[in-house]
Amino acid sequence: MANDSILARWNLTLEELTEAVDSNPSLRGMLFGYVAETVLKKMWFSTEHITHAVKYDDHDRKRKGDLVVTYKGESFIVESKSLQTNMIKKVGQVWTGKAQCDASDRRTIELPDGSKITTTCLLPGEFDLLAVNCFAFENKWRFVFAKNSELPRSKYAKYTSKQRESLLASLIPISWPPEPPFHAAPYPLLDQILAERKATKGKLMILKDAQQIKVTD
């Protein structure tokens, strides 16, 4: 039973499932998002570069991200998003669009300035890498990747400037071929994040040693 297709389990034909998906846009969007996560893992995070990749339960609010991968002994949180199909354009040989980069539901968060807001916006540092599938451009499975730290911030007018600095934009411009901060492969970005982590750890060790010397003196 475990190896049966979803069609066999639900006693459906391929045509019936296709009709259900095509006639229900909300179902199509949700299903496509989950399929994209599976393709992302298969294409980029099931290689010799990755020693472990896991998707946590969506209902586990304590675990962030759509995929957690282990690369060079370090864990990285990957957030998977899709293009908004009604915003896609092609100018010359360049495809452009926007990806909706926000949480699945609204929640109340406290920002570094001490203010509390209820929002669907994601946060700087909440994940490591954004992966956006560009299938809708040409019906081909391709992804672009960007570091969380380089994503644009919110421009929502009702937030203060300090609040906007602490929230990621909910709509992010995407192009193919990719343009910075997006890249066509994740590994160079993971290497950059890894180097940044090591630099931060090094600074913390230096600070800790300096504090210990001061206490000893």
Side-chain angles (χ1 to χ4, degrees), residues 98-123:
K98 292 188 177 181
Q100 187 165 350
C101 183
D102 55 12
S104 57
D105 52 12
R106 299 176 69 83
R107 76 274 194 229
T108 300
I109 57 176
E110 183 172 351
L111 300 177
D113 66 354
S115 63
K116 291 184 178 181
I117 61 172
T118 301
T119 182
T120 60
C121 288
L122 295 175
L123 307 177

Side-chain angles (χ1 to χ4, degrees), residues 15-36:
E15 290 73 19
E16 288 170 335
L17 179 60
T18 301
E19 180 183 354
V21 171
D22 285 345
S23 59
N24 294 278
S26 58
L27 171 63
R28 182 171 65 247
M30 180 176 65
L31 183 61
F32 184 81
Y34 284 118
V35 169

Side-chain angles (χ1 to χ4, degrees), residues 44 62 203:
W44 288 106
K62 295 180 180 179
K203 290 178 182 178

Side-chain angles (χ1 to χ4, degrees), residues 103-171:
S104 57
D105 52 12
R106 299 176 69 83
R107 76 274 194 229
T108 300
I109 57 176
E110 183 172 351
L111 300 177
D113 66 354
S115 63
K116 291 184 178 181
I117 61 172
T118 301
T119 182
T120 60
C121 288
L122 295 175
L123 307 177
E126 194 169 7
F127 56 91
D128 298 301
L129 196 69
L130 176 64
V132 179
N133 80 75
C134 298
F135 184 87
F137 282 155
E138 296 181 282
N139 290 335
K140 296 178 182 179
W141 282 112
R142 295 183 297 208
F143 292 83
V144 293
F145 304 87
K147 296 191 295 182
N148 176 297
S149 60
E150 295 182 346
L151 294 174
R153 300 299 193 261
S154 173
K155 295 182 180 179
Y156 188 46
K158 291 187 178 181
Y159 294 148
T160 68
S161 59
K162 288 292 185 183
Q163 289 173 332
R164 290 194 291 269
E165 290 173 5
S166 302
L167 298 167
L168 297 181
S170 57
L171 281 176

Side-chain angles (χ1 to χ4, degrees), residues 31-205:
L31 183 61
F32 184 81
Y34 284 118
V35 169
E37 290 177 17
T38 299
V39 176
L40 172 65
K41 181 179 178 181
K42 178 181 178 181
M43 284 183 66
W44 288 106
F45 300 116
S46 297
T47 70
E48 69 277 7
H49 299 285
I50 304 299
T51 55
H52 187 62
V54 61
K55 174 180 171 57
Y56 293 116
D57 190 328
D58 285 344
H59 297 96
D60 188 347
R61 300 303 182 189
K62 295 180 180 179
R63 297 181 185 270
K64 304 295 184 181
D66 297 310
L67 192 64
V68 179
V69 303
T70 302
Y71 174 76
K72 295 185 177 179
E74 289 273 339
S75 291
F76 298 86
I77 300 173
V78 181
E79 190 76 15
S80 174
K81 297 298 181 184
S82 300
L83 294 170
Q84 298 293 294
T85 55
N86 60 342
M87 296 183 177
I88 291 174
K89 296 179 181 179
K90 188 180 183 184
V91 180
Q93 298 301 311
V94 178
W95 289 87
T96 64
K98 292 188 177 181
Q100 187 165 350
C101 183
D102 55 12
S104 57
D105 52 12
R106 299 176 69 83
R107 76 274 194 229
T108 300
I109 57 176
E110 183 172 351
L111 300 177
D113 66 354
S115 63
K116 291 184 178 181
I117 61 172
T118 301
T119 182
T120 60
C121 288
L122 295 175
L123 307 177
E126 194 169 7
F127 56 91
D128 298 301
L129 196 69
L130 176 64
V132 179
N133 80 75
C134 298
F135 184 87
F137 282 155
E138 296 181 282
N139 290 335
K140 296 178 182 179
W141 282 112
R142 295 183 297 208
F143 292 83
V144 293
F145 304 87
K147 296 191 295 182
N148 176 297
S149 60
E150 295 182 346
L151 294 174
R153 300 299 193 261
S154 173
K155 295 182 180 179
Y156 188 46
K158 291 187 178 181
Y159 294 148
T160 68
S161 59
K162 288 292 185 183
Q163 289 173 332
R164 290 194 291 269
E165 290 173 5
S166 302
L167 298 167
L168 297 181
S170 57
L171 281 176
I172 296 180
I174 303 294
S175 67
W176 187 269
E179 297 179 0
F182 286 92
H183 301 264
Y187 306 122
L189 298 178
L190 293 179
D191 285 329
Q192 289 178 25
I193 298 171
L194 194 56
E196 290 163 4
R197 287 182 182 179
K198 289 180 178 178
T200 299
K201 288 179 181 177
K203 290 178 182 178
L204 290 174
M205 289 297 295

